Amino acid sequence: MSKPIYVLNGPNLNRLGKREPEIYGRTTLAEVEAMCREAAGDLPLEFRQTNSEETLIAWIHEAIDRPAAGILINPAAFTFTSMAVMDALKMFPGPIVEFHISNIHKREPIYHRSLVSPVATAVIAGLGAGGYPVALDAMRRLLIAA
Ligand code: CA2
């Protein structure tokens, strides 16, 4: 059995498809999970969402200890606020793909400075929710190259 890929989603992403469709689209998180599972094929996935910083950090620690093959993470607002998430990710030895549905650089200045990007292997933003399977494919390529 190959190591799992952790797909971790931060605060408010459980509301995806239900609010602010002009920014985040109409795809729900359940639909995102289905797209990711299809893109992953045989690769085992841990697909999760939390509104809690503590839980997100615990899941990153779990990915380190298990170990996971890679982490695909949309940290949502914790991207810009959480040194603790950044510190936890820094300990993960495998590839980390930071993912954002929207192009954070096209938005207000508070969305421009990611604390996660300096510890990520790759950053993908602006492809909409349909970008999750693209990010998963990128992760698969990173794992083959490793
Ligand atoms: O574009 C992204 O994926 C973000 O990570 C989403 C975060 C935002 O803080 C980041 O800057 C960019 C916000 C997620 C909020 O999720 C919602 C989902 C549906 C409706 C309202 C908010």
Side-chain angles (χ1 to χ4, degrees), residues 12 15-16 19-20 24 74 76-77 80 100-102 104 111:
N12 297 308
R15 312 294 292 174
L16 206 59
R19 298 281 302 275
E20 299 186 51
Y24 300 113
N74 184 346
F80 314 101
H100 299 282
I101 296 163
S102 61
I104 53 176
Y111 292 107

Side-chain angles (χ1 to χ4, degrees), residues 18 30 38 49 58 60 79 83 133-134 143 145:
K18 297 168 186 153
E38 197 181 334
Q49 186 275 332
I60 295 167
T79 308
M83 288 188 65
V134 176
L143 291 171

Side-chain angles (χ1 to χ4, degrees), residues 10-32:
N12 297 308
L13 287 165
N14 53 322
R15 312 294 292 174
L16 206 59
K18 297 168 186 153
R19 298 281 302 275
E20 299 186 51
E22 65 287 355
I23 302 176
Y24 300 113
R26 295 196 182 277
T27 307
T28 65
L29 196 64
E31 290 166 338
V32 167

Side-chain angles (χ1 to χ4, degrees), residues 14-139:
N14 53 322
R15 312 294 292 174
L16 206 59
K18 297 168 186 153
R19 298 281 302 275
E20 299 186 51
E22 65 287 355
I23 302 176
Y24 300 113
R26 295 196 182 277
T27 307
T28 65
L29 196 64
E31 290 166 338
V32 167
E33 177 171 1
M35 288 191 285
C36 285
R37 293 204 179 278
E38 197 181 334
D42 289 344
L43 290 174
L45 277 195
E46 292 289 346
F47 188 99
R48 300 180 190 174
Q49 186 275 332
T50 181
N51 295 323
S52 152
E53 186 176 15
E54 183 181 350
T55 301
L56 187 59
I57 292 163
W59 288 345
I60 295 167
H61 291 173
E62 184 186 302
I64 294 163
D65 293 339
R66 205 163 155 179
I71 298 177
L72 165 52
I73 185 166
N74 184 346
F78 295 147
T79 308
F80 314 101
T81 62
S82 180
M83 288 188 65
V85 167
M86 179 198 74
D87 281 341
L89 287 170
K90 217 188 264 183
M91 290 186 265
F92 183 69
I96 298 168
V97 177
E98 176 188 352
F99 179 82
H100 299 282
I101 296 163
S102 61
N103 179 355
I104 53 176
H105 301 289
K106 211 174 161 183
R107 300 181 63 187
E108 302 91 314
I110 49 162
Y111 292 107
H112 291 177
R113 191 166 158 266
S114 166
L115 297 176
V116 171
S117 296
V119 300
T121 312
V123 182
I124 298 174
L127 295 176
Y132 274 89
V134 176
L136 210 51
D137 196 50
M139 174 63 80

